[in-house]
Amino acid sequence: MLITRQVDTSAIAMQREGLILAYSPLRGQEAAQIGSGIALDLARDFAFPTYRELGVAVAMGVDLVGYLASYLGIWHGGLYDPMASRFGSINAVVSGSVLHAVGWAKGAQLSGDGGVAVTYFGDGASSEGEVHEAMNLAGIDKLPVVFFCQNNGWAISLAAERQIAGGTVAGRAAAYGIEGVQIDGNDVIAVLHATRQALARARAGDGPTVIEAMTYRAGPHSTSDDPGRYRSLDDEQKWLSRDPIASFAERLRAEGIADEQFFLAASAEAARAADAVRAGLAALGDRPGEELFDFVFANPTATLQEQKHAWQESTHD
């Protein structure tokens, strides 16, 4: 969680400095992401992220330079290998990753390898039609998929209570005949247990689970957003008092699991990780221009080939 916090903070600074073009912060959601990400079996499960799952990437060991390369605009979806990391490409289409996860889960069901898909989405995305279609199909076929909703209180600037009919995302699961649980998304241990239980249900053939992790986006929706225009400072301060990293550190101290030397070492490690990511991003060069054309269609059209030829001629002038 500390590495996630440090890299997230550094990414915001890099955007302000012009090193990366844009960024979607996740401060406050570290427990939800780390707790669920470390529960996955990297030999057979697969995670389908949105554009805010840096913490899941950290938990799953994804190359963070490759992850943040997506925000440089040099490669869509990140430069890491999704197949090797079991972490899908960054998906900026609201609720798009949910459909992908259900399709993958159907394949896993047919293969019988025990793999489970975990798809991440927010409270705002839960109101998209694709989520309902995905849950319906998953419920009918009892697919091995976990729908992990991070309810961070805001669909950009729209409060969750103004766009979630019925009050909860987890409550909708019953309509599709699947399990639904609402948990404290700021309690990393509670998230870990809930995700493990959902994975076990899916592997046993008992179908999907909707996990609604109640948390809070402490920062802006993106680096182009000003949360002060739609929420109060009092509300932010209330949630900051429940910071997931601070509360877990307090728990570790109280239970005698970690001492101050541990926290100092962990903080130093997190700072080194953030510095390494920054240096790695700064060292990345431009991608070959041909990739603009080579990765559009499996079988390039005549028009695309003509465009590529025209581009090649213009670059040689």
Side-chain angles (χ1 to χ4, degrees):
M1 287 195 289
L2 283 172
I3 289 173
T4 301
R5 175 71 59 88
Q6 286 277 11
V7 174
D8 183 66
T9 302
S10 178
I12 296 172
M14 286 188 283
Q15 191 280 327
R16 301 308 191 205
E17 295 167 21
L19 182 58
I20 61 178
L21 303 176
Y23 182 66
S24 298
L26 64 101
R27 184 182 180 94
Q29 298 178 223
E30 293 89 354
Q33 296 195 11
I34 298 297
S36 58
I38 62 174
L40 273 65
D41 181 346
L42 300 187
R44 51 182 175 172
D45 298 334
F46 210 101
F48 291 83
T50 68
Y51 45 81
R52 202 189 303 279
E53 268 67 65
L54 171 66
V56 182
V58 170
M60 296 179 66
V62 176
D63 171 48
L64 298 184
V65 174
Y67 176 90
L68 285 168
S70 183
Y71 296 100
L72 281 171
I74 61 174
W75 186 268
H76 180 67
L79 280 172
Y80 57 90
D81 183 348
M83 296 303 293
S85 64
R86 314 297 289 178
F87 183 83
S89 297
I90 296 172
N91 196 328
V93 177
V94 177
S95 76
S97 59
V98 180
L99 291 174
H100 297 167
V102 167
W104 187 94
K106 183 62 180 179
Q109 184 185 63
L110 293 171
S111 69
D113 64 2
V116 180
V118 178
T119 176
Y120 292 89
F121 59 102
D123 47 289
S126 73
S127 296
E128 295 285 337
E130 291 92 331
V131 172
H132 299 282
E133 294 167 10
M135 289 184 181
N136 188 59
L137 178 60
I140 290 170
D141 286 358
K142 289 189 175 297
L143 297 181
V145 57
V146 177
F147 297 96
F148 195 95
C149 175
Q150 294 173 82
N151 187 337
N152 64 19
W154 296 93
I156 306 183
S157 60
L158 187 64
E161 60 267 20
R162 293 184 57 199
Q163 58 92 20
I164 300 177
T168 72
V169 176
R172 295 172 176 171
Y176 305 108
I178 60 182
E179 185 78 9
V181 295
Q182 188 181 82
I183 61 172
D184 181 357
N186 282 14
D187 182 340
V188 67
I189 301 301
V191 174
L192 175 62
H193 288 332
T195 308
R196 282 177 172 170
Q197 289 172 358
L199 291 169
R201 288 189 72 256
R203 293 195 215 286
D206 294 331
T209 301
V210 176
I211 297 176
E212 183 181 16
M214 306 303 291
T215 182
Y216 189 77
R217 167 171 52 81
H221 172 76
S222 70
T223 46
S224 62
D225 175 42
D226 177 10
R229 297 180 63 184
Y230 53 83
R231 68 188 190 193
S232 70
L233 184 60
D234 287 343
D235 190 41
E236 292 183 5
Q237 290 300 318
K238 180 186 72 174
W239 277 94
L240 286 175
S241 67
R242 297 178 55 195
D243 180 273
I245 296 179
S247 61
F248 189 47
E250 183 178 343
R251 179 174 177 176
L252 292 175
R253 288 189 180 97
E255 296 181 8
I257 296 173
D259 57 17
E260 291 309 311
Q261 284 300 114
F262 167 81
F263 292 112
L264 288 172
S267 295
E269 180 185 353
R272 286 193 296 270
D275 289 343
V277 171
R278 183 186 181 94
L281 285 171
L284 287 177
D286 293 334
R287 301 293 300 179
E290 287 82 0
E291 290 180 348
L292 291 170
F293 309 93
D294 293 343
F295 298 102
V296 179
F297 299 111
N299 298 306
T301 63
T303 301
L304 191 64
Q305 290 175 328
E306 290 172 3
Q307 291 173 347
K308 181 178 180 179
H309 180 69
W311 175 83
Q312 288 173 328
E313 287 189 336
S314 68
T315 57
H316 294 150
D317 291 342

